[in-house]
Amino acid sequence: MTVTSENAPATTDAADFWFDPLCPFAWITSRWILEVEKVRDIQVDWHVMSLYFLNKDREDLPEDYKKGIDRGLPLGRVLMATEQRAGARALLPLYTAFGSRLHQNRPEGAERPAIDRAFVEESLAEAGLPGDLADAMDDASYDEALEKSHRGAIDLVGNEVGTPTIAFNGTAFFGPVISSIPRGEDAGRLWDGTIAVADFPYFYEIKRTRTHKLDFS
């Protein structure tokens, strides 16, 4: 929504987007909302969410899944170190560098790359950030800030949801969960519909079985 007056310039509404870099659905949704920025008067502010903290106390998860989400904790620490040293605006470039390696540029069927120091340093270099931020990978002192950032989303939408979470104009929601990235006005129409249903206080869920493969193009 754009607010104007006779003597004031248009203002742009802010949308807050929480992500975990490991989640392929969050990646697709993040690329969608970047498309939305091109066709709607919104500006996205980025925040870190953590599948590790979301699930660390759950005992009903398969062991392989637990090991998978544990891989994201070092990345979350690096993201928090980046926010503290370089500011919140540095999160998107680093998330993009992580995500392009984890999702966008990975051949179909290929295993995810190892999340090691080389992976992080290459991503930091691509984002124009200091390589020594990779030291945060093993630094548990960033966990409190990471969990606080994660809690910022959970406090808005509850524990039964996850990443991505979006807050906009006083409402917040998990998703949308999409398997392909809408472009142009298609992205705008999906945004319009999403915020329309999310704005209704008694609306909770629309869901159907996923039948399409993930498409990162």
Side-chain angles (χ1 to χ4, degrees), residues 95-118:
Y95 177 32
T96 296
F98 284 158
S100 64
R101 288 166 171 77
L102 290 168
H103 311 298
Q104 195 82 28
N105 299 328
R106 182 161 56 96
E108 185 175 354
E111 293 185 1
R112 283 178 173 172
I115 298 177
D116 54 17
R117 189 177 180 97

Side-chain angles (χ1 to χ4, degrees), residues 55-113:
N55 294 290
K56 72 182 182 69
D57 295 325
R58 291 181 59 183
E59 298 179 356
D60 58 334
L61 295 174
E63 197 61 34
D64 287 347
Y65 183 79
K66 287 184 178 180
K67 290 179 180 178
I69 60 177
D70 287 354
R71 297 169 72 239
L73 181 57
L75 298 185
R77 291 168 174 169
V78 173
L79 285 159
M80 296 315 302
T82 296
E83 182 175 23
Q84 290 176 16
R85 282 182 53 181
R89 291 189 179 277
L91 290 178
L92 176 59
L94 184 54
Y95 177 32
T96 296
F98 284 158
S100 64
R101 288 166 171 77
L102 290 168
H103 311 298
Q104 195 82 28
N105 299 328
R106 182 161 56 96
E108 185 175 354
E111 293 185 1
R112 283 178 173 172

Side-chain angles (χ1 to χ4, degrees), residues 33-171:
I33 206 168
L34 291 175
E35 290 289 314
V36 175
E37 278 191 305
K38 300 175 184 177
V39 295
R40 295 294 185 268
D41 291 324
I42 69 166
Q43 174 183 313
V44 182
D45 294 326
W46 300 88
H47 310 274
V48 187
M49 203 169 179
S50 174
L51 290 172
Y52 172 82
F53 284 111
L54 182 68
N55 294 290
K56 72 182 182 69
D57 295 325
R58 291 181 59 183
E59 298 179 356
D60 58 334
L61 295 174
E63 197 61 34
D64 287 347
Y65 183 79
K66 287 184 178 180
K67 290 179 180 178
I69 60 177
D70 287 354
R71 297 169 72 239
L73 181 57
L75 298 185
R77 291 168 174 169
V78 173
L79 285 159
M80 296 315 302
T82 296
E83 182 175 23
Q84 290 176 16
R85 282 182 53 181
R89 291 189 179 277
L91 290 178
L92 176 59
L94 184 54
Y95 177 32
T96 296
F98 284 158
S100 64
R101 288 166 171 77
L102 290 168
H103 311 298
Q104 195 82 28
N105 299 328
R106 182 161 56 96
E108 185 175 354
E111 293 185 1
R112 283 178 173 172
I115 298 177
D116 54 17
R117 189 177 180 97
F119 173 93
V120 172
E121 288 181 341
E122 289 171 4
S123 300
L124 288 165
E126 181 178 312
L129 293 164
D132 66 345
L133 284 167
D135 293 343
M137 292 179 69
D138 302 313
D139 189 344
S141 69
Y142 291 103
D143 290 1
E144 182 178 355
L146 176 58
E147 188 168 14
K148 182 178 179 180
S149 180
H150 170 79
R151 181 56 56 183
I154 294 301
D155 286 348
L156 293 173
V157 294
N159 288 308
E160 296 180 2
V161 297
T163 179
T165 290
I166 299 172
F168 181 75
N169 280 2
T171 190

